[in-house]
Amino acid sequence: MEWNYYNTFITVAPDCPAANGIIPTDKKAGKTKPGIEFDLVSQAPYVYTQEELLYEVHIRHKEIPEEELSARGTQIRDEFFRKPTACLRASMLPKKYGWGIHFNAEGKMALVPMESAEYQHFMDGNIKEVKLVPAMRNRKPK
């Protein structure tokens, strides 16, 4: 099964409460999933595919030790992808924190703050080969 997007831009959800890209805050117990997603992608733009990011976030959020990954890495990965997993259209980055997500031709992703000229460039449809896909809404429209 293919989990990656190619030449796609996930736009901020229509009901996103943010007016600009906000860095997700941590909880006292540690990093949140959106915080981990943000850290990984903002520090390494166009390095991760959606599939790679989802798995890496899972490992870090569950705090799976390196020894366990060395011993059972393939099994852990297979178990993770066997279960239904939400794509990044359901991520809090575009739903709540104001980040668009661009996937290039290789399926590698970068974050684009909604207040940026780059975001507007995507929204204007100036990049013909890039498909616009909205993030999922936070609530059903009334």
Side-chain angles (χ1 to χ4, degrees), residues 64-83:
I64 299 171
E66 193 60 47
E67 308 80 58
E68 190 175 349
L69 285 172
S70 296
R72 303 186 328 111
T74 303
Q75 182 184 357
I76 293 169
R77 185 177 174 84
D78 291 346
E79 287 170 8
F80 174 73
F81 284 110
R82 203 171 298 129
K83 296 179 222 151

Side-chain angles (χ1 to χ4, degrees), residues 7 16 32 42 44 57 69 73 95 107 109 127 133:
N7 291 322
C16 176
T32 60
S42 67
V57 169
L69 285 172
K95 286 179 64 168
M109 61 190 291
I127 308 169
V133 179

Side-chain angles (χ1 to χ4, degrees), residues 98-114:
W99 296 94
I101 306 172
H102 176 238
F103 295 88
N104 66 15
E106 291 81 46
K108 307 289 184 169
M109 61 190 291
L111 298 176
V112 182
M114 67 186 296

Side-chain angles (χ1 to χ4, degrees), residues 45-135:
Y46 299 112
V47 169
Y48 292 97
T49 64
Q50 174 175 255
E51 196 173 286
E52 292 164 345
L53 182 74
L54 291 173
Y55 181 62
E56 188 64 32
V57 169
H58 169 72
I59 290 168
R60 291 178 187 221
H61 192 251
K62 296 291 183 194
E63 297 179 346
I64 299 171
E66 193 60 47
E67 308 80 58
E68 190 175 349
L69 285 172
S70 296
R72 303 186 328 111
T74 303
Q75 182 184 357
I76 293 169
R77 185 177 174 84
D78 291 346
E79 287 170 8
F80 174 73
F81 284 110
R82 203 171 298 129
K83 296 179 222 151
T85 303
C87 74
L88 289 172
R89 288 185 57 221
S91 165
M92 285 296 130
L93 293 178
K95 286 179 64 168
K96 178 179 178 182
Y97 293 106
W99 296 94
I101 306 172
H102 176 238
F103 295 88
N104 66 15
E106 291 81 46
K108 307 289 184 169
M109 61 190 291
L111 298 176
V112 182
M114 67 186 296
E115 73 277 10
S116 70
E118 183 182 10
Y119 185 93
Q120 194 57 51
H121 193 62
F122 283 111
M123 294 300 289
D124 289 344
N126 294 335
I127 308 169
K128 298 291 181 221
E129 66 274 4
V130 173
K131 182 169 110 180
L132 299 180
V133 179

Side-chain angles (χ1 to χ4, degrees), residues 1-6 50-51:
M1 178 188 270
E2 179 64 45
W3 287 67
N4 296 318
Y5 285 103
Y6 300 91
Q50 174 175 255
E51 196 173 286

